Amino acid sequence: MTQSTEQESTRIALIKAAGKLFTENGIAGTSIREIAKEAGTDSSMIKYYFGNKDGLIKAVIDFVLEPWESRSLTSYVRENEHLFATKDGQRQLVAEVIALCFEFMAPDPELPWKNTFLMQCTQHNHIGRQTVLEKIVIPDSTLFMEIFSRITGNDDAESAHCWSLTFSG
């Protein structure tokens, strides 16, 4: 294994160990030493790769969100604007947006803690909350509200927001 491959392997092991332990014990209840032990490395590696615990938290969030961002619901909708023209197209658009969401939210045997960690980030006031809100919750909720308005012709923001919550739930 080359040094860069080994370094990346160590970095990913720390991210996965941190995500698992943050989910099990909470962020505040997880120490740097516990994370390093779980990852099979020395705690100095966390400072080397991430600077500090906050840098590691951000890296865990980025790692978990990368697939969500890479398949962008907004890009999908923009590339399929033509589907808004007919009822069948609208049904297809909504079904495919749901399928894209499910792909991301489906249980992942490699990261069984992923969804719980994201939910914890939105529920607790730490650096992860704002990141998850900015990268997933607000853009996707706004997009769902737009889809509702375009399909129904109803511009009532409260109705659109209720639909987006039902849709995302």
Side-chain angles (χ1 to χ4, degrees), residues 5-65:
T5 305
E6 188 175 320
Q7 288 178 335
E8 182 63 9
S9 177
T10 300
R11 192 180 81 75
I12 296 299
L14 286 165
I15 288 170
K16 288 180 177 181
K20 176 181 181 270
L21 293 173
F22 290 158
T23 301
E24 291 173 0
N25 308 323
I27 290 173
T30 302
S31 73
I32 296 295
R33 284 195 177 114
E34 291 170 315
I35 295 166
K37 181 179 177 185
E38 178 77 20
T41 191
D42 185 77
S43 60
S44 65
M45 293 292 100
I46 292 172
K47 184 173 184 170
Y48 176 78
Y49 288 109
F50 309 105
N52 55 29
K53 189 174 180 180
D54 285 347
L56 178 57
I57 295 166
K58 183 177 177 340
V60 173
I61 292 167
D62 290 345
F63 179 79
V64 170
L65 293 182

Side-chain angles (χ1 to χ4, degrees), residues 83-94:
L83 295 174
F84 283 106
T86 66
K87 286 291 179 196
D88 285 341
Q90 293 166 0
R91 283 186 202 96
Q92 179 183 343
L93 179 85
V94 170

Side-chain angles (χ1 to χ4, degrees), residues 19-166:
K20 176 181 181 270
L21 293 173
F22 290 158
T23 301
E24 291 173 0
N25 308 323
I27 290 173
T30 302
S31 73
I32 296 295
R33 284 195 177 114
E34 291 170 315
I35 295 166
K37 181 179 177 185
E38 178 77 20
T41 191
D42 185 77
S43 60
S44 65
M45 293 292 100
I46 292 172
K47 184 173 184 170
Y48 176 78
Y49 288 109
F50 309 105
N52 55 29
K53 189 174 180 180
D54 285 347
L56 178 57
I57 295 166
K58 183 177 177 340
V60 173
I61 292 167
D62 290 345
F63 179 79
V64 170
L65 293 182
E66 193 280 325
W68 187 261
E69 292 175 308
S70 70
R71 62 92 193 111
S72 174
L73 289 179
T74 301
S75 295
Y76 171 79
V77 170
R78 298 296 171 252
E79 291 165 6
N80 291 281
E81 288 280 333
H82 64 281
L83 295 174
F84 283 106
T86 66
K87 286 291 179 196
D88 285 341
Q90 293 166 0
R91 283 186 202 96
Q92 179 183 343
L93 179 85
V94 170
E96 289 178 5
V97 167
I98 290 170
L100 287 169
C101 289
F102 182 76
E103 278 179 39
F104 179 75
M105 296 306 291
D108 181 347
E110 287 284 317
L111 307 170
W113 49 265
K114 173 184 78 172
N115 295 335
T116 304
F117 174 73
L118 288 175
M119 291 304 283
Q120 286 176 348
C121 285
T122 63
Q123 295 170 353
H124 300 287
N125 194 17
H126 59 72
I127 65 167
R129 176 185 225 164
Q130 195 60 37
T131 303
V132 173
L133 288 174
E134 288 173 1
K135 290 187 173 190
I136 294 180
V137 176
I138 293 169
D140 287 355
S141 180
T142 302
L143 182 66
F144 299 155
M145 291 169 63
E146 176 192 333
I147 292 168
F148 171 85
S149 295
R150 290 186 66 184
I151 289 174
T152 65
N154 181 346
D155 290 332
D156 176 53
E158 191 172 317
S159 295
H161 186 68
C162 287
W163 182 80
S164 77
L165 291 173
T166 302

